[in-house]
Amino acid sequence: MREAIGIFDSGVGGLTVLKALRKRLPEQDYLYLGDTARLPYGSKSETTIRRYALNAAEHLFRNDIRLLVVACNTASAFALPALTEISPVPVIGVIEPGVRAALAGGARKVAVIGTEGTIRSGAYQKALHRAAPEVSVTAAPCPLFVPLAEEGWGDHPITDQIAEIYLRPLLDTGLEAIILGCTHYPLLRPSLARVAGPGVSLIDSATAVTDAVVQRFRGPSAGRGGVGQVAIHLTDASDRFRRIARAILGSDPEHLEVVDL
Amino acid sequence: MREAIGIFDSGVGGLTVLKALRKRLPEQDYLYLGDTARLPYGSKSETTIRRYALNAAEHLFRNDIRLLVVACNTASAFALPALTEISPVPVIGVIEPGVRAALAGGARKVAVIGTEGTIRSGAYQKALHRAAPEVSVTAAPCPLFVPLAEEGWGDHPITDQIAEIYLRPLLDTGLEAIILGCTHYPLLRPSLARVAGPGVSLIDSATAVTDAVVQRFRGPSAGRGGVGQVAIHLTDASDRFRRIARAILGSDPEHLEVVDL
């Protein structure tokens, strides 16, 4: 499948990006790679995350993708410069689109939540500061959110309580927007929206990166028509990952292949 | 460090086994390997878990260990026969010792809790049935327990509530013992004990496997005196793993090395 849009994530959470892209650019082919055998990235060191991200990207390059979308926030935070350096095709990460989406709404008090790695990297914080030095930025790692999302507890009283613990100190500063800096977090939207309240926008990095990709395909080269193909490559395909993939996509993935990087 | 006791776990949870062994066999040398770059094993497929476990064991064999202790429940559940087949030294997993410890207390209604992988494998359930066919056995995967333990919430009202959700159906059958089939779970003992109540024994597989190892070193070859060395090899050494290792060991690990398998 030459000329597909390549999407890479540490796991299956990035399928939210694939789903959003297919809706808006249905004529494109997609090759999704989830590094499920080595996930999660968020708790691991910068060196390991960068090595894994480069491995994964090389697999996609060997498959002749036309564009690399790094849906994984932790990989975007730590490996985007390294990926861009070796990539024969354009690379789009989630950080810059997420930041643009947060600022486009006019928020002046913004928080970022994500894995320990993403928050520790400071990538979102630095990008927000570069784009809008006057905006106040806070951040918090939320290590239990990915397991809660994978447990299917996105709309659950326990998730509300945990979100209250993680987010209360941020919310008390008078927040206007929270960047959901992890592909899994949109699955917790019901609980997060209850805890954050109606005055706080929840910025989904999957939607934001989708906008950035769609932007690229506007113009003469767009809309060749028809419906493109989708291939999903996973480095491990346990029942658990299949179940989560099904929950995100709304159906069983066609063309699922287990690959070794 | 030739002739060390090799201990293998997917992460740093197995340091509870190292700590218990050092207390009882202080004169031995220990080489601990935590596959932190690829953890967790519990959500992955049998094929991947077996491949990782064999990789890890080969690293320990190259370091001339005298005995292999598989502290990881998921690896014990899926890879013990494969490990035993290739091992030049004796191999001790956590399943059989955990089962013996549960039955030694006279329990006739026993539950096993663990990762999705460990429970799905049926390894504890089968071993209990083989050892005592009259004993009634139930089991439940508890996917949030490892993240809760790593968050340091072993004695926390939220952990109590989650334990109530996972364990109530088991407790209502009139349980006498619960096998904690994961190296992280003893870190949740305060919450688990509150929820299980005083009539239910919590069987720690780390203690059980320690007993099995101590058993082997009784007799003429034991007690050469002195205090042995400890080396810790991790495949990734993020701040997070160092912090959890410190919480388990009570001090910073000496001789920590990052290795590539």
Side-chain angles (χ1 to χ4, degrees):
Chain A
M1 207 168 64
R2 292 176 57 87
E3 296 286 294
I5 294 178
I7 304 171
F8 154 58
D9 186 31
S10 58
V12 288
L15 289 172
T16 52
V17 175
L18 171 65
K19 199 182 172 187
L21 276 173
R22 271 201 99 183
K23 207 178 236 173
R24 297 183 57 192
L25 298 171
E27 72 282 3
Q28 298 292 328
D29 292 335
Y30 296 93
L31 173 54
Y32 180 94
L33 172 62
D35 192 6
T36 42
R38 304 191 291 192
L39 68 74
Y41 285 8
S43 56
K44 292 164 190 168
S45 69
E46 185 167 352
T47 318
T48 296
I49 294 162
R50 198 174 298 126
R51 180 158 59 90
Y52 286 177
L54 290 172
N55 273 180
E58 279 156 6
H59 174 82
L60 291 169
F61 299 150
R62 280 193 298 275
N63 282 275
D64 292 319
I65 54 167
R66 65 189 293 181
L67 175 72
L68 173 63
V69 179
V70 185
C72 176
N73 282 264
T74 310
S76 292
F78 282 119
L80 210 61
L83 288 170
T84 307
E85 202 173 309
I86 65 155
S87 179
V89 298
V91 181
I92 300 186
V94 284
I95 311 280
E96 295 292 339
V99 163
R100 277 201 301 278
L103 297 175
R108 287 299 166 261
K109 288 195 171 189
V110 178
V112 186
I113 59 175
T115 63
E116 283 197 288
T118 299
I119 300 305
R120 191 180 66 239
S121 76
Y124 271 107
Q125 297 95 310
K126 283 175 225 156
L128 278 161
H129 189 72
R130 267 197 310 273
E134 72 287 5
V135 165
S136 115
V137 181
T138 48
C142 303
L144 287 167
F145 278 1
V146 169
L148 286 167
E150 297 198 337
E151 192 69 332
W153 288 10
D155 186 4
H156 195 286
I158 289 199
T159 305
D160 289 25
Q161 291 175 61
I162 295 177
E164 185 66 38
I165 294 174
Y166 286 150
L167 304 183
R168 181 51 51 203
L170 307 176
L171 291 168
D172 284 346
T173 66
L175 272 194
E176 292 156 309
I178 301 178
I179 299 179
L180 307 181
C182 174
T183 49
H184 279 72
Y185 293 3
L187 300 171
L188 305 178
R189 192 178 270 275
S191 281
L192 297 180
R194 265 196 299 274
V195 171
V200 181
S201 328
L202 302 179
I203 310 293
D204 175 355
S205 57
T207 312
V209 77
T210 302
D211 290 342
V213 175
V214 170
Q215 200 78 26
R216 264 187 182 268
F217 285 92
R218 278 200 190 132
S221 72
R224 65 181 193 201
V227 175
Q229 291 187 297
V230 176
I232 295 180
H233 290 184
L234 300 179
T235 52
D236 182 82
S238 71
D239 293 342
R240 181 178 176 82
F241 300 133
R242 286 175 192 267
R243 198 176 64 230
I244 301 166
R246 202 181 304 127
I248 294 174
L249 295 174
S251 64
D252 268 310
E254 331 129 61
H255 310 296
L256 191 152
E257 201 176 312
V258 178
V259 296
D260 198 0
L261 296 185
Chain B
M1 208 168 66
R2 292 174 57 87
E3 295 286 293
I5 294 178
I7 303 172
F8 154 57
D9 187 29
S10 58
V12 288
L15 289 172
T16 51
V17 175
L18 171 65
K19 199 182 172 186
L21 276 174
R22 271 201 100 183
K23 206 176 235 172
R24 298 183 56 191
L25 299 170
E27 72 282 2
Q28 298 293 328
D29 293 335
Y30 295 94
L31 173 55
Y32 181 94
L33 172 62
D35 193 6
T36 42
R38 306 192 291 192
L39 67 74
Y41 286 8
S43 57
K44 291 165 190 168
S45 68
E46 185 167 352
T47 318
T48 296
I49 294 162
R50 198 175 297 126
R51 180 159 58 92
Y52 286 177
L54 290 172
N55 274 180
E58 278 156 6
H59 174 82
L60 291 169
F61 299 150
R62 280 194 298 273
N63 282 276
D64 292 320
I65 55 167
R66 66 189 293 183
L67 174 73
L68 173 61
V69 180
V70 185
C72 176
N73 282 265
T74 310
S76 293
F78 282 119
L80 210 62
L83 288 170
T84 307
E85 202 173 308
I86 65 155
S87 179
V89 298
V91 180
I92 300 185
V94 283
I95 312 279
E96 293 293 338
V99 163
R100 277 200 301 277
L103 297 175
R108 287 298 166 262
K109 287 196 170 186
V110 177
V112 186
I113 60 175
T115 64
E116 282 197 287
T118 299
I119 299 306
R120 193 180 65 238
S121 76
Y124 272 109
Q125 297 95 310
K126 284 175 225 155
L128 278 161
H129 189 73
R130 266 198 309 274
E134 72 286 6
V135 165
S136 114
V137 181
T138 48
C142 303
L144 287 167
F145 278 1
V146 168
L148 287 166
E150 297 199 336
E151 192 69 332
W153 289 10
D155 186 4
H156 195 287
I158 289 199
T159 305
D160 288 26
Q161 291 175 60
I162 295 177
E164 185 66 36
I165 294 173
Y166 286 149
L167 304 183
R168 180 53 50 203
L170 307 176
L171 291 168
D172 283 346
T173 66
L175 272 195
E176 291 156 309
I178 300 178
I179 299 180
L180 308 181
C182 174
T183 49
H184 279 72
Y185 293 2
L187 300 170
L188 306 178
R189 191 178 272 275
S191 281
L192 297 181
R194 266 195 299 275
V195 171
V200 181
S201 329
L202 302 180
I203 310 294
D204 175 355
S205 57
T207 312
V209 76
T210 303
D211 290 340
V213 175
V214 170
Q215 201 78 27
R216 264 187 182 266
F217 285 92
R218 278 200 192 132
S221 72
R224 66 179 190 203
V227 175
Q229 291 187 297
V230 176
I232 295 180
H233 290 184
L234 299 179
T235 53
D236 182 80
S238 71
D239 293 342
R240 181 178 177 81
F241 301 134
R242 286 175 193 267
R243 198 177 63 230
I244 301 166
R246 201 180 305 126
I248 294 174
L249 295 174
S251 64
D252 268 311
E254 333 128 63
H255 310 296
L256 191 152
E257 200 176 312
V258 178
V259 297
D260 198 1
L261 296 184

